[in-house]
Amino acid sequence: MTTNDRRDFLLSTGAGMAATWLAPHLELLHPLLGRKTSGGEGRVKLALIGAGRQGRAILGELATIPDCEVVAVCDNDESRLSSALRRATGAKGYAGAADLLAKEVSVSAVIIATPTHLHRAIVEQCLEAKKHVYCETPLAHTLEDLQAISAAARGAGVVAAAAFQGRANPVYGLARSFFKAGTLRELAHLSAQNHKKTSWRTAGSTPERDRELNWHLDPKVSLGLTGELGAHQFDVFHWFLGRHPVSVRARGDLRLHKDGREVPDTVQAQFTFDDGLVLDWSCTLANSLGGRHEEIAGAMGAIKLAWTHGWMFKEADAPTQGWEVYANRQQFHDEPGITLIADATKLAAQGKLQEGVGLPYTSLYYSLADFVAAVAGSHGAGSNGAGSKAPACSLADGARSSAVSVLASRALVERTEVAIDPKLLEGL
Amino acid sequence: MLHRAACFAMGTRFELVLEGRDDVHGRAAAEEALERIVECDGRLSRFRSDSLVSRINREAGSAWVALDAETFELLERCARACGATEGAFDLCLGTAMDRLRAGQGLLAPAGAFALDPARRAVRFTAPGTALDLGAVAKGFALDRAAELLRAAGVERALLHGGTSSVLALGAPPDRPEGWPVGLGPEFAERVVSLRDRALSISAVRGSRGPGGDAAARGQVHVLDPREGRRLRAQGRAAVLAASAEEAEIASTALLVLVDRGARPAEALDAGFPSARLECIVVADRPVAGRGSGLSGGAALEIVHHVPPASR
């Protein structure tokens, strides 16, 4: 967390997190347990703007999170809105965000899951109305929009969160604690991939609706793979390293889906950090092998993260740290991977180590529950923010990772190396 | 142009064929439908640590667990079916299925759960309860996939999960009576036509063992939930219904009702008053109660005394 981040948080008490994850406890796997909630002040009243696939997934998770309720849903497509309202029993439906914000005065927080290029206007409206905001990522498709979002969040006096889920994911948090403790030692290489065989299209009821739904295939309003898929992975590295790359090169091609689209279905990008460390990222919609994961390789070991699971691979000469005694192992070809399990010591003592493999909640659940807890905490916080917590990923942090995606997309389009100006990122 | 696609979910292969507006639309619709099925698996599987059902099994013994509306309504329908069939269909089989998979002796399950519509939550009301939605999840997922296809403008499609649950949208262009589906040698190679209709086939002995274990092929993998024992009767049940969920629940319940010597047609009438069930049972023993051709409720056709060796 940088100084700039703290400036942007309404509530900033994140210093205890590293210690928490170094000695994780089972109850901390539930994001709301052990934290102050809204209590007698009632549940956090939420609105969802954007009821597409992600919006509906969000509604499903919110229904299972204590201390919150969705009271309004907004989408300009009638069939999507009615489908969403079936999932959010009792909520009111709206076709426009402005109408919702004007009429739903009891709403304290808004979750924004519209197409990326529509985020800016809605974030600005919500912050202007003093609503807490959780915005899907990437936050925007242009640097101008990112700067506007950051400026609106700065000093808004509300919880402003970006939906980079890795930061609220306990497996990623545990891995980061090992990383921060220097377990891997000198860093050799970073890599990530997102491979899935899919057309990445949504089927609409009419050709016109097809075009609206597939906005992410329109290069005028979409960052393509580097933004919609890559940003989530880039943010993981930014969060682990506490810094951003200084340049990016990228290339892409249509390898499979030659259906008239202009956005490449296969992209490779290479990011370079100020010390020469390189992050290689590969993304394709033509093949599924390996799925999605991130890897950090160092002189004493490597960490592999795959959303719900994480593993550590230790070099033969790596010092024993003790915790490996309790570890589960999974074989990857001829490499034994030590499964990263939050609260491994306690589970092992109870003979339940196997029960700790894999997350007990979805990654989306953790991210949303983290936001709800931050909002609930802010309701009971003092004027100086005492007793409250910042969201796992602020809008400012989210804007920086989104900006890296914008520049990677520029490198792809221009087929040239693009510098990532640290001052640009600091200003977000 | 027909488009085919497949995925692996719920321990089996789901497959579909559909007609889209064009190849691009067809492929997108097929992928979305399969993703919906995978999403249902992610929510309803008790073998995934982060599924909603796993969360229920971990937490509902000591606290109310809030659910999304879709899952809550599914549990409500299952609870109604359980009551109407006197427990021949029951979700509370998780612990028993675990013991079956582990080769341990079976105990009479005492599982039970309560649903609170006001808070849309579930809580176990008996110790040792664990939900297993294996007898309904495929049907539920097929129904959700079909909803998505209809919303995407698809009018002709055939979907199946593991070949035992099948759902049809519309009919093929050249066969207005519906999609032809063969029931296999156990049903004398009968072919049924499905048009906006679903089919489920349940067998006492599975092509896989408990929990989808391929090595346990041919073992009895259906339990009587009330008594906590493997079924003794040999047989198969095929049920046609308005939805894949209803067909799947009814076909499982039929096997148990036949095994108990109960009157299955009457029980299914009570459990599925508007489902327009058509049932075919192949059993090694007489089936009590109303039989084939009676109007006003489930149409039940019974084929008695099929030697087990022929299955």
Side-chain angles (χ1 to χ4, degrees):
Chain A
M1 187 181 295
T2 67
T3 306
N4 284 336
D5 300 334
R6 291 194 173 90
R7 180 189 64 199
D8 293 326
F9 287 154
L10 166 68
L11 319 157
S12 183
T13 55
M17 287 301 288
T20 296
W21 291 119
L22 282 168
H25 299 287
L26 184 62
E27 54 269 27
L28 289 173
L29 288 175
H30 193 308
L32 289 175
L33 293 176
R35 279 188 190 153
K36 184 176 182 179
T37 59
S38 53
E41 295 180 21
R43 307 164 89 190
V44 173
K45 288 185 168 30
L46 295 160
L48 170 75
I49 299 179
R53 192 183 304 174
Q54 181 66 4
R56 291 195 297 275
I58 286 170
L59 285 178
E61 293 297 342
L62 287 174
T64 69
I65 294 175
D67 279 347
C68 75
E69 81 180 287
V70 176
V71 298
V73 178
C74 172
D75 199 289
N76 61 6
D77 181 74
E78 200 173 306
S79 105
R80 286 190 169 210
L81 181 59
S82 65
S83 169
L85 290 174
R86 283 202 300 274
R87 292 194 175 195
T89 311
K92 289 183 184 172
Y94 293 88
D99 193 27
L100 183 154
L101 291 170
K103 291 179 179 167
E104 293 290 340
V105 292
S106 72
V107 166
S108 63
V110 179
I111 293 178
I112 300 167
T114 62
T116 301
H117 61 285
L118 304 179
H119 287 169
R120 173 186 172 177
I122 297 170
V123 168
E124 287 177 334
Q125 288 179 63
C126 292
L127 293 175
E128 176 74 23
K130 295 296 178 191
K131 307 297 184 189
H132 304 289
V133 166
Y134 174 99
C135 186
E136 273 301 326
T137 50
L139 292 178
H141 70 303
T142 66
L143 294 176
E144 182 187 3
D145 280 7
L146 291 170
Q147 286 162 335
I149 286 172
S150 276
R154 201 170 296 134
V158 296
V159 176
F164 281 125
Q165 295 176 20
R167 298 195 187 216
N169 182 320
V171 167
Y172 281 56
L174 178 64
R176 183 171 177 263
S177 73
F178 286 122
F179 176 81
K180 289 292 188 186
T183 303
L184 304 186
R185 301 277 284 274
E186 297 84 358
L187 292 181
H189 185 239
L190 311 174
S191 62
Q193 73 163 53
N194 192 332
H195 291 184
K196 183 177 182 182
K197 187 175 181 182
T198 171
S199 69
W200 206 38
R201 279 186 180 275
T202 302
S205 53
T206 64
E208 294 72 28
R209 189 68 187 135
D210 266 351
R211 278 189 287 277
E212 291 173 16
L213 293 173
N214 291 296
W215 59 270
H216 50 279
L217 295 177
D218 179 357
K220 289 190 288 297
V221 296
S222 169
L223 297 172
L225 303 187
T226 54
E228 297 303 321
L229 301 182
H232 299 268
Q233 296 185 288
F234 307 156
D235 182 69
V236 169
F237 293 103
H238 305 157
W239 182 49
F240 270 58
L241 270 62
R243 56 196 168 112
H244 298 83
V246 294
S247 68
V248 56
R249 293 185 299 179
R251 69 174 308 281
D253 198 3
L254 273 174
R255 304 304 308 166
L256 176 64
H257 302 291
K258 296 172 182 173
D259 53 9
R261 71 179 66 187
E262 298 173 61
V263 171
D265 63 13
T266 301
V267 174
Q268 294 87 36
Q270 186 174 72
F271 300 87
T272 304
F273 290 79
D274 54 359
D275 60 352
L277 181 66
V278 165
L279 161 61
D280 284 309
W281 179 70
S282 168
C283 187
T284 184
L285 307 178
N287 182 274
S288 302
L289 182 63
R292 173 193 162 163
H293 62 258
E294 300 88 35
E295 292 181 6
I296 304 175
M300 287 299 170
I303 289 172
K304 177 173 180 171
L305 296 167
W307 219 226
T308 55
H309 291 72
W311 304 268
M312 180 175 291
F313 301 83
K314 300 195 77 171
E315 290 292 331
D317 58 343
T320 300
Q321 295 178 307
W323 60 270
E324 301 100 313
V325 173
Y326 302 106
N328 271 343
R329 284 173 170 75
Q330 184 177 340
Q331 197 69 18
F332 288 79
H333 187 45
D334 55 355
E335 297 282 348
I338 302 168
T339 312
L340 294 175
I341 301 174
D343 200 33
T345 306
K346 185 174 175 182
L347 288 175
Q350 297 170 347
K352 296 179 178 177
L353 192 56
Q354 190 60 37
E355 294 178 16
V357 177
L359 286 175
Y361 301 87
T362 65
S363 183
L364 178 58
Y365 179 97
Y366 284 108
S367 186
L368 292 168
D370 173 84
F371 173 66
V372 169
V375 172
S378 76
H379 288 170
S383 57
N384 61 354
S388 55
K389 74 169 280 294
C393 185
S394 69
L395 271 185
D397 272 329
R400 282 187 273 277
S401 288
S402 300
V404 170
S405 291
V406 172
L407 296 171
S409 181
R410 183 180 296 174
L412 177 65
V413 171
E414 297 177 358
R415 292 189 174 268
T416 183
E417 184 164 5
V418 170
I420 301 173
D421 183 359
K423 289 180 181 171
L424 169 75
L425 301 182
E426 285 171 15
L428 291 173
Chain B
M1 179 176 180
L2 292 179
H3 190 90
R4 290 176 186 274
C7 74
F8 192 80
M10 302 183 181
T12 191
R13 177 180 161 86
F14 281 78
E15 192 173 16
L16 61 80
V17 55
L18 62 80
E19 184 183 58
R21 279 196 308 274
D22 52 45
D23 192 43
V24 171
H25 174 262
R27 175 168 187 162
E31 287 175 351
E32 277 197 280
L34 294 177
E35 280 184 25
R36 188 77 171 93
I37 288 166
V38 170
E39 184 266 324
C40 289
D41 187 22
R43 189 161 25 131
L44 303 181
S45 167
R46 70 185 180 93
F47 302 107
R48 286 182 53 137
S49 66
D50 61 350
S51 76
L52 184 54
V53 166
S54 289
R55 194 187 309 175
I56 294 169
N57 286 342
R58 276 195 309 271
E59 300 175 7
S62 57
W64 287 97
V65 175
L67 306 176
D68 62 281
E70 201 172 70
T71 308
F72 184 83
E73 288 161 11
L74 169 63
L75 294 193
E76 279 187 319
R77 293 192 296 273
C78 289
R80 279 199 296 272
C82 180
T85 60
E86 296 185 352
F89 172 83
D90 194 338
L91 297 181
C92 298
L93 273 177
T95 304
M97 292 303 286
D98 283 341
R99 293 182 66 85
L100 189 66
R101 293 178 79 210
Q104 298 169 327
L106 294 173
L107 304 171
F113 62 86
L115 296 169
D116 181 348
R119 67 177 103 184
R120 213 166 57 206
V122 61
R123 182 162 189 171
F124 294 156
T125 53
T129 302
L131 301 187
D132 184 324
L133 274 66
V136 68
K138 288 204 299 289
F140 175 82
L142 289 176
D143 289 337
R144 302 290 81 71
E147 282 176 357
L148 193 148
L149 291 177
R150 287 190 191 96
V154 173
E155 295 175 349
R156 306 177 199 275
L158 186 71
L159 308 82
H160 77 82
T163 69
S164 61
S165 290
V166 187
L167 186 151
L169 288 187
D174 56 348
R175 204 172 185 278
E177 65 269 32
W179 300 84
V181 179
L183 301 186
E186 298 85 356
F187 294 92
E189 304 293 356
R190 180 183 296 204
V191 175
V192 297
S193 292
L194 292 183
R195 179 177 181 136
D196 296 319
R197 203 114 165 90
L199 163 73
S200 172
I201 296 179
S202 292
V204 173
R205 295 181 184 275
S207 58
R208 290 172 179 267
D213 179 7
R217 178 185 176 90
Q219 284 187 12
V220 174
H221 71 155
V222 180
L223 302 180
D224 183 330
R226 191 176 60 188
E227 300 175 23
R229 59 166 177 78
R230 294 173 196 255
L231 298 194
R232 290 182 288 253
Q234 301 299 316
R236 286 180 178 245
V239 174
L240 282 79
S243 76
E245 177 188 311
E246 289 167 324
E248 203 165 20
I249 292 174
S251 66
T252 303
L254 253 182
L255 290 180
V256 177
L257 291 166
V258 168
D259 185 81
R260 287 180 185 172
R263 301 165 70 89
E266 287 75 359
L268 295 177
D269 281 351
F272 305 92
S274 59
R276 298 188 293 120
L277 299 185
E278 298 170 62
C279 312
I280 308 167
V281 175
V282 178
D284 64 350
R285 62 188 61 191
V287 177
R290 201 180 70 219
S292 172
L294 296 181
S295 61
L300 178 64
E301 182 178 337
I302 302 155
V303 183
H304 293 301
H305 302 291
V306 172
S310 71
R311 288 180 286 279

